[in-house]
């Protein structure tokens, strides 16, 4: 069916029996009608064929309809005669050209064919560094773990003409065998070490550059022309004085009157996540003309949605009406950004109020199940009770030590940030104030929480069995040892391991039994996945949207304007550009960037740099409740938002399995309150333990989190603080999760608002005093 289907999708002849589908055949219904006609003599039922076609057409991940169990594979088609003429090469030759010692040529292999990607490296959409990581290896592992390559035919199309040789079957097998996740991590580590040596020098000179910038700004205040001249001569940006960093004025070119606006400043935003859409919204709201590019087919960035089939049960009456493109009889959940603490997400809360998006309480309740020999037990995160079999008994001394570390971190941070001073007495809790007062001198901004915990006798077992698994569910990373101690009190206030009456509730529930508990700090969209889709629709209203369009390059024109070229050979000329995409993707799109910028962009570390093959990078959406331990299954399906299971693998390492239960995490549409027999099992699995499997017939879709989550590490903080030295240079700005000290929806949104404000947009919530404080705090951290 595959070639026939491909032709049918294109509206071609399709081969087989007769002509292809008519004009309407480009829709799914037309394809089905056409291909079904080829099966008239087949024993397969109409329903079976329809299902097969839908799986073949959809075959995607979250943000699409139900997907097939296995991700699609990258298939590169070659002319047989070309393959015949290719010279036989050894894999040893491929390994020599790995981008480390021998940089004059970059070779990779895939399915036994050798490709020369030397020239392509400069235009690789994921950035040159990631392609350098793959150089000298086979691409099978990379395509399996970075599934974006298989979602379109672009990767195959780019590689096909780059074939320069072929491997023997033995060498092809050896190439796959040697190109392992371990080899990937080792190679990526070498590249990161090189970048880190350079960024240390940048960070070490940061105080000096900040002093110089302040001096030039003072000069510019008194003698603007001299300030601009000095700023032009410096290799770093002086906000407001370096060419391109000054705010765009929106005065009428003819009258010069700011109230009689004819000229609109033009801005291109590259990236359609919450940072990019937030920047576009603020700019549009202030009168700028904005073009937004998003390479994917949907806005949202890391905030992805999935549709759960309720056809067997009936959609709850509280659920919003299905949208036009939504699967009928389904409930849409947001399956990555699921909830947030409103008291800390002040600007995102203001945004939702401004857009008219309703929220409801999100009843989060983690259940942790340790099967590690000698440390067996369970734990409800929102329940402080030390019941029989509780891990709070198994690790009683470690929990006490962790409590002391959190208290110590809070006291030290409060002292350095001067919270005892009168002008701070009325401040509400904030994620952004750790640098205020004398906060930059606080050693806990770089000292890991793990180091403090170990220093007072905490055990590695508690860290590996309790802390890391518990927060892996939030951060989707299983390496939390670099987590700075200054953030310890913040996560404890939001998702506590030490619950108290201020952040949790425990009691009886008519629908969940005599014992129930959940965290009280978080809310979510009332309309769940439809709610977050509505957020992005409203943010981009009136914006020139270029969805499914990748930016190829950004060129600086002689007059200082920027020309943004897309992959379809189109372009747009703008006054300012905002990159709101992963750090690694920026360099190739913006070839004119400086060496200083290159150093900063090469430094950020993402979760997949440590664990590219980990189950925490790959998700399976399914309805197989058997993955949860039988004796706690019904209780967890009924009231646990997350089921986390820790086991020791046969190789001696620990595995952290995460089950996200959207039967609980979808409260707005009424799913949370439904009995188990009135709704499907709605699980998303990461990193199944040994011996476990999911019934293929119950798999509903797949997801991938590559390049989505920067690690909480000192290296990323160095890059984030150093980024101020290049923000605004030549009218180019950077916002996204990697440009902030953390990795959350509110910080990403604020980074976009900060960049928009630097360009000239007004802060959108001037009456919200506490939200504005956070905005100014992040402006200070970003240095713009």
């Amino acid at each position: 069916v595959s070639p026939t289907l491909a032709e049918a999708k294109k509206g071609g002849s399709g081969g087989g029996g007769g002509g292809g589908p008519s004009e309407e055949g480009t829709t799914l219904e037309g394809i089905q009608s056409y291909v079904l006609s080829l099966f008239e003599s087949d024993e397969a039922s109409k329903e079976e064929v329809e299902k097969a076609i839908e799986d073949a057409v959809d075959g995607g991940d979250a943000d699409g309809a139900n997907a097939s169990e296995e991700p699609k594979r990258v298939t590169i088609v070659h002319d047989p005669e070309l393959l015949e003429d290719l010279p036989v090469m050894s894999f040893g030759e491929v390994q020599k050209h790995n981008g480390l010692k021998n940089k004059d040529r970059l070779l990779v292999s895939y399915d036994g064919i050798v490709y020369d990607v030397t020239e392509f490296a400069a235009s690789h959409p994921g950035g040159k560094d990631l392609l350098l990581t793959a150089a000298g290896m086979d691409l099978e592992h990379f395509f399996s773990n970075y599934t974006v390559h298989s979602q379109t035919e672009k990767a195959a199309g780019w590689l096909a003409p780059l074939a320069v040789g072929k491997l023997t079957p033995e060498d092809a097998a050896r190439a796959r065998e040697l190109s392992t996740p371990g080899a990937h991590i080792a190679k990526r580590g070498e590249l990161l070490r090189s970048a880190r040596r350079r960024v240390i020098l940048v960070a070490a000179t940061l105080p000096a550059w900040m002093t110089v910038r302040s001096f030039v700004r003072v000069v510019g205040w008194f003698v603007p022309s001299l300030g601009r001249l000095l700023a032009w001569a410096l290799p770093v940006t002086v906000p407001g004085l370096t060419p391109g960093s000054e705010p765009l004025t929106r005065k009428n070119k003819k009258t010069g009157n700011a109230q009689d606006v004819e000229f609109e400043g033009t801005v291109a935003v590259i990236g359609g996540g919450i940072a990019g859409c937030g920047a576009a919204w603020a700019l549009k709201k202030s009168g700028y003309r904005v073009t937004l590019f998003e390479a994917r087919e949907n806005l949202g960035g890391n905030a992805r949605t999935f549709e759960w089939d309720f056809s067997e049960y009936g959609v709850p009456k509280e659920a919003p009406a299905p949208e036009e493109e939504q699967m009928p009889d389904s409930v849409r959940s947001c399956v990555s950004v699921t909830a947030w603490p409103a008291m800390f997400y002040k600007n995102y809360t203001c945004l939702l109020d401004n857009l008219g998006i309703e929220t409801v309480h999100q009843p989060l309740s983690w259940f942790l199940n340790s099967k590690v020999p000698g440390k067996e037990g369970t734990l409800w995160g929102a329940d402080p009770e030390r019941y029989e079999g509780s891990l709070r008994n198994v690790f009683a001394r470690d929990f006490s030590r962790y409590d002391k570390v959190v208290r110590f971190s809070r006291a030290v941070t409060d002292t350095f940030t001067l919270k005892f001073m009168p002008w701070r007495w009325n401040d509400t809790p904030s994620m952004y104030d750790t640098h205020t007062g004398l906060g930059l001198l606080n050693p806990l901004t770089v000292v890991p929480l793990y180091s403090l915990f170990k220093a007072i006798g905490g055990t590695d077992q508690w860290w590996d069995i309790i802390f890391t698994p518990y927060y892996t569910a939030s951060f989707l990373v299983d390496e939390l040892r670099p987590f700075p101690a200054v953030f310890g009190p913040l996560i404890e206030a939001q998702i506590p391991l030490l619950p108290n009456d201020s952040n949790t509730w425990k009691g009886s529930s008519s629908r969940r039994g005599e014992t129930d508990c959940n965290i009280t700090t978080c809310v979510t969209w009332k309309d769940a996945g439809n709610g977050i889709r509505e957020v992005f629709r409203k943010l981009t209203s009136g914006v020139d949207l270029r969805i499914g369009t990748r930016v190829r390059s950004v060129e600086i024109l002689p007059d200082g304007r920027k020309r943004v070229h897309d992959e379809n050979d189109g372009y747009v000329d703008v006054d300012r550009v905002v990159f709101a995409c992963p750090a690694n993707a920026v360099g190739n799109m913006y070839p004119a960037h400086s060496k200083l910028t290159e150093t900063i962009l090469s430094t950020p570390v993402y979760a997949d740099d440590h664990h590219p093959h980990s189950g925490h990078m790959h998700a399976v959406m399914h309805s197989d409740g058997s993955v949860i331990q039988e004796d706690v299954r019904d209780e967890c399906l009924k009231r646990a938002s997350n089921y986390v299971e820790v086991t020791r693998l046969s190789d001696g390492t620990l595995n952290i399995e995460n089950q996200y239960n959207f039967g609980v995490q979808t409260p707005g549409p009424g799913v949370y309150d439904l009995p188990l027999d009135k709704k499907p099992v709605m699980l998303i699995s990461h990193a199944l333990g040994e011996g476990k499997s999911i019934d293929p017939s119950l798999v509903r879709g797949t997801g991938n989190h590559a390049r989505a989550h920067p690690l909480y590490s000192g290296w990323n903080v160095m890059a984030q603080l150093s980024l101020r030295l290049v923000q605004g240079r030549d009218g180019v700005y950077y916002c996204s999760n990697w440009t902030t000290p953390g990795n959350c929806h509110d910080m990403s949104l604020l980074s976009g608002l900060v960049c928009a404000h630097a360009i000239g947009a007004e802060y959108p919530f001037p009456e919200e005093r506490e939200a504005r404080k956070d905005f100014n705090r992040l402006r200070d951290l970003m240095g713009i």
Side-chain angles (χ1 to χ4, degrees), residues 357-598:
I357 306 294
E358 293 184 75
T359 61
V360 294
H361 169 55
Q362 174 70 290
L364 297 177
S365 189
W366 270 251
F367 182 80
L368 181 60
N369 183 12
S370 170
K371 294 185 175 182
V372 178
K375 299 296 179 182
E376 297 92 342
T378 62
L379 169 74
W380 285 96
D383 186 357
E385 182 182 347
R386 293 168 59 172
Y387 54 82
E388 184 178 354
S390 169
L391 288 166
R392 297 191 188 278
N393 293 325
V394 177
F395 290 102
R397 296 182 66 181
D398 282 307
F399 271 101
S400 176
R401 292 181 180 118
Y402 175 64
D403 185 25
K404 292 176 182 176
V405 167
V406 171
R407 292 174 185 271
F408 174 76
S409 297
R410 183 181 296 114
V412 170
T413 300
D414 286 353
T415 299
F416 275 95
T417 56
L418 308 180
K419 284 198 174 177
F420 55 86
M421 300 302 288
W423 63 80
R424 295 218 55 195
W425 288 353
N426 295 323
D427 284 358
T428 58
S430 172
M431 298 185 291
Y432 301 90
D433 65 351
T434 55
H435 72 289
T436 58
L438 302 174
L440 289 177
L441 302 177
N442 183 0
L444 299 189
T445 58
V446 291
V447 174
L449 187 66
Y450 168 78
S451 298
L452 287 186
F453 177 68
K454 288 287 290 181
I456 64 169
T459 67
D460 282 328
Q461 286 186 314
W462 182 89
W463 189 269
D464 295 338
I465 296 173
I466 302 294
F467 186 89
T468 300
Y470 192 74
Y471 289 113
T472 291
S474 296
F475 302 133
L476 276 179
V477 297
D478 50 14
E479 177 51 79
L480 292 175
R481 297 194 180 197
F483 192 82
V486 72
F487 292 140
L490 290 175
I491 60 168
E492 185 58 34
Q494 299 175 48
I495 306 171
L497 262 173
L498 305 168
N500 56 57
D501 291 342
S502 70
N503 51 31
T504 56
W505 167 87
K506 181 182 178 183
S508 61
S509 168
S510 60
R511 297 182 183 273
R512 274 161 288 282
E514 294 183 3
T515 303
D516 192 12
C517 59
N518 59 63
I519 296 167
T520 58
T521 58
C522 293
V523 297
T524 188
W525 305 275
K526 181 177 183 296
D527 288 343
N530 289 28
I532 193 169
R533 289 279 185 94
E534 186 66 10
V535 171
F536 285 99
R537 274 193 290 269
K538 290 187 174 183
L539 283 177
T540 54
S541 176
V543 171
D544 178 11
L545 282 178
R546 310 285 177 92
I547 304 297
T549 305
R550 189 179 296 279
V551 169
R552 185 162 47 84
S553 66
V554 174
E555 173 189 4
I556 307 295
L557 300 176
D559 65 356
R561 302 191 82 209
K562 271 60 66 179
R563 177 163 292 175
V564 181
H565 299 267
D566 65 40
E567 61 185 347
N568 302 317
D569 293 328
Y571 69 86
V572 59
D573 291 344
V574 295
D575 299 301
R576 299 287 186 268
V577 170
V578 178
F579 283 104
C581 52
N584 53 278
V586 175
N588 281 353
M589 283 189 279
Y590 182 33
H593 67 270
S594 66
K595 290 185 177 180
L596 175 59
T597 306
E598 176 71 22

Side-chain angles (χ1 to χ4, degrees), residues 204-263:
T205 61
L206 190 58
W209 284 122
M210 291 173 67
T211 301
V212 170
R213 293 200 327 168
S214 297
F215 170 75
V216 173
R217 293 184 74 181
V218 171
V219 171
W221 181 266
F222 292 102
V223 188
S225 58
L226 179 57
R228 287 193 292 271
L229 178 63
L230 293 173
W232 173 83
L234 289 174
V236 302
T237 303
V238 180
L241 294 174
T242 298
S245 70
E246 64 277 3
L248 277 177
T249 57
R250 291 177 290 114
K251 293 181 180 180
N252 188 306
K253 286 185 175 181
K254 296 178 181 178
T255 67
N257 187 352
Q259 304 301 318
D260 182 22
V261 177
E262 180 182 89
F263 166 71

Side-chain angles (χ1 to χ4, degrees), residues 156-336:
W158 287 325
L159 274 179
L162 304 180
V164 294
K166 57 188 175 186
L167 303 175
T168 64
E170 294 76 18
D171 258 1
R174 181 166 168 262
R176 289 190 294 271
E177 181 181 340
L178 294 178
S179 301
T180 62
H184 174 177
I185 295 167
K187 178 78 175 294
R188 184 76 181 119
E190 288 189 61
L191 294 170
L192 285 170
R193 279 191 291 276
S194 176
R196 287 168 177 174
R197 285 192 291 269
R198 298 192 301 271
V199 85
I200 284 176
L201 294 176
V202 175
T205 61
L206 190 58
W209 284 122
M210 291 173 67
T211 301
V212 170
R213 293 200 327 168
S214 297
F215 170 75
V216 173
R217 293 184 74 181
V218 171
V219 171
W221 181 266
F222 292 102
V223 188
S225 58
L226 179 57
R228 287 193 292 271
L229 178 63
L230 293 173
W232 173 83
L234 289 174
V236 302
T237 303
V238 180
L241 294 174
T242 298
S245 70
E246 64 277 3
L248 277 177
T249 57
R250 291 177 290 114
K251 293 181 180 180
N252 188 306
K253 286 185 175 181
K254 296 178 181 178
T255 67
N257 187 352
Q259 304 301 318
D260 182 22
V261 177
E262 180 182 89
F263 166 71
E264 290 181 311
T266 54
V267 183
V269 178
I270 304 171
I274 189 62
C277 290
W281 175 73
L283 288 162
K284 178 65 181 174
K285 194 177 177 70
S286 292
Y288 293 90
R289 189 150 42 89
V290 184
T291 302
L292 188 148
F293 294 87
E294 169 53 49
R296 295 174 180 166
E297 296 299 327
N298 292 290
L299 295 173
N302 295 336
R304 304 179 190 179
T305 61
F306 189 74
E307 295 162 19
W308 301 95
D309 184 4
F310 269 71
S311 57
E312 294 184 26
Y313 305 90
V315 175
K317 61 182 180 180
E318 296 93 335
E323 298 180 352
E324 184 177 346
E325 76 281 8
Q326 186 175 342
M327 186 172 67
D329 298 319
S330 67
V331 171
R332 181 182 280 161
S333 296
C334 187
V335 293
S336 47

Side-chain angles (χ1 to χ4, degrees), residues 89-98 102 105 107 136 171:
M89 301 174 66
S90 70
F91 184 59
E93 180 70 13
V94 175
Q95 289 177 302
K96 288 179 184 177
H97 299 281
N98 63 2
N102 192 343
R105 195 181 189 197
L107 297 180
D171 258 1

Side-chain angles (χ1 to χ4, degrees), residues 7-13 19-27 29-31 33-34:
E7 288 300 318
K9 287 175 73 174
K10 297 175 184 176
S13 64
S22 61
E23 174 117 13
E24 63 188 14
T26 55
T27 65
E29 291 78 14
I31 296 170
S33 299
Y34 172 63

